[in-house]
Amino acid sequence: MNQTVIEIEDLSFAISGKQILEQIRFSVPAGQRLFIVGPNGAGKTTLLRCLAKIITDYKGTIKVQNKDIKAYSQKKLAKILTYVPQVLPADIPFTARQFVLMARYPHLSPFSVVGREDEKIVSDAMEMAQTACFADRVMATLSGGERQQVSIAAALAQQAEIFLLDEPATYLDYKHQRDIHLLLAKINTTYGTTIICVTHDLNSAVLSADTIIAIKEGKIVFEGASKDIMNEKTLEDIYSKKFDFAQHPVTGQKIIVPDVIE
Amino acid sequence: MSKKAAINSIIIFALLVVLVTPFLGPIKIPFSALMDFKLTTIAGKIFYTFRLPRVFTAFLAGAALACCGVALQAMFRNPLAEPFTLGICGGANFGTAIYLIFAASIPVPHCGIAFSFAGSLGAVLLVYGLTKIKKGFSVGTMLLAGIAINFFFSSLILFLQYISDFTQSYKMIHWLMGSIDVDGFRVPGVLFIFTAVGAAIIAAQSANLNLMSISDEIAISRGVNVKVTRKIIFFATSVMVAGVVAFCGPIGFVGLMAPQICRLLVGHDHKILTPASILFGGAFLTLCDTIARIIIPSSQMPVGVITALLGGPFFIWLLLKDKDGALI
């Protein structure tokens, strides 16, 4: 078993009286691909935002590399984990390269200049994320898929060991969805990066995750190996609807199929 | 125009303005007056007691306002954010208005700036408090709250005017229009300290401002301590606004305009944008003040009249130019 990189104990969070997360408790071994699923409003994004220290007024403890994240400075924490939001703002006036370069922030002191090494790290990251070809275009002119690739390139350039991704492929077409999932898998196998990814796409979760956690109404309702979630009863409990299943023609994995709409 | 050319032209523009404007005015200043350090000639006296200090004061005030504008616009991710729209100037105005009324009975001389600072800091704490009390305060709401704060302080000032006597009231009106009447180097000296401290603090936040101008989420995820940076920027802004308002009165639109023009010219990287806006804002206000000085030779028109006259139409242009029509 790999070393534990994230340990969440009794995490609860309420906003204006409404309980968003309740007694969440799980741990993540280094290098794991963990997908978090669940219905809308279940608290998935909130959970990621707590992990990224964007939300700080939660109850319970979150430990990253055996240390409470509240004991880290934001900058120190940014060397270890990075958060990729669902979408970047559409009007970013910087070029893709400038944006990725800014991800070197945790590695630079306020007055140090971007060095040759940083430039190389940025170039490599953009190459790996297949974004080098539009490096000099302004972010605002890129498509949603391209912007998302740049967002992941920036996370790579940040050289964090843990990636927190909030539905990275939700608004993308099939090709870009595949590109993002392939990229994440490649990052995971190349650098041993821990991937924690929130998604609504059960099939791609089951095909690429090691572990899946399902959250419903702020509580963990399923935690286990990814293939075990493809169970009629389990899924019905999570989503309050019936599912039809099929077998993936290549891997034989049980997957869900779209509902027939008459 | 390439960015490099734009940066160079801003530097040249600023230099030209500072070098040329002290010589402009109803009284001709010969170059020989420059060597008259003992102020034996009238021209020398005018140059060193009035013209040069005034040019410096205008430049520093414009620089400070532009610098505040850059930082606030990035922090709030809104082109309308500046010391005026956020109510910071309103607070400083109120502080200074109190000083103008009670100046005679205050034993410490030249302490107007302390009142101005108390006012701007008070307004900043109010704005900051609002962001703290109500989570998820949208920037639009924030600006509306700022405008409300401004109105609140304006009414307090009107009230002060109402209860004060005629001379005090006239003084207040003249000062409220924004005017740069200085005599000697004391004012530009003090203003230099306030502007330099504030601008240095904000310039040091360039990398943070770049990230915060994208989104707080991204800034935090890259390791920016957004909460601390916000406090630092609010503090630096209130220092600079206090200096400007105490000596020059509320001067509008520079803080809004200078950063916008500079964004169009040099781009959005605050490492370049901040110094460019400081230079441009300084030069722009100096130019406005020179126009105010010479447009009606016998009287000294307050510079606030000129900046607002130029600023108003610019503001409309900015609104029209914005492609989505959704600045807020």
Side-chain angles (χ1 to χ4, degrees), chain A residues 78-125:
Chain A
K79 284 185 183 174
I80 303 171
L81 58 81
T82 182
Y83 172 72
V84 179
Q86 192 168 14
V87 279
L88 287 176
D91 56 356
I92 299 175
F94 300 104
T95 65
R97 194 180 167 83
Q98 277 178 316
F99 179 79
V100 179
L101 210 49
M102 281 182 213
R104 294 299 297 158
Y105 180 93
H107 302 277
L108 298 168
S109 81
F111 298 102
S112 67
V113 193
V114 175
R116 198 163 283 192
E117 198 193 336
D118 298 298
E119 296 277 1
K120 188 171 181 316
I121 290 165
V122 166
S123 297
D124 292 348

Side-chain angles (χ1 to χ4, degrees), chain B residues 2 25 28 46 76 122 131 163 171 216 231 279 283 310 320 325:
Chain B
S2 79
K28 289 261 169 307
I46 290 176
F76 283 101
T131 57
I163 57 164
K171 245 172 139 179
D216 284 351
K231 281 183 199 157
L279 283 180
L310 288 176
L320 292 176

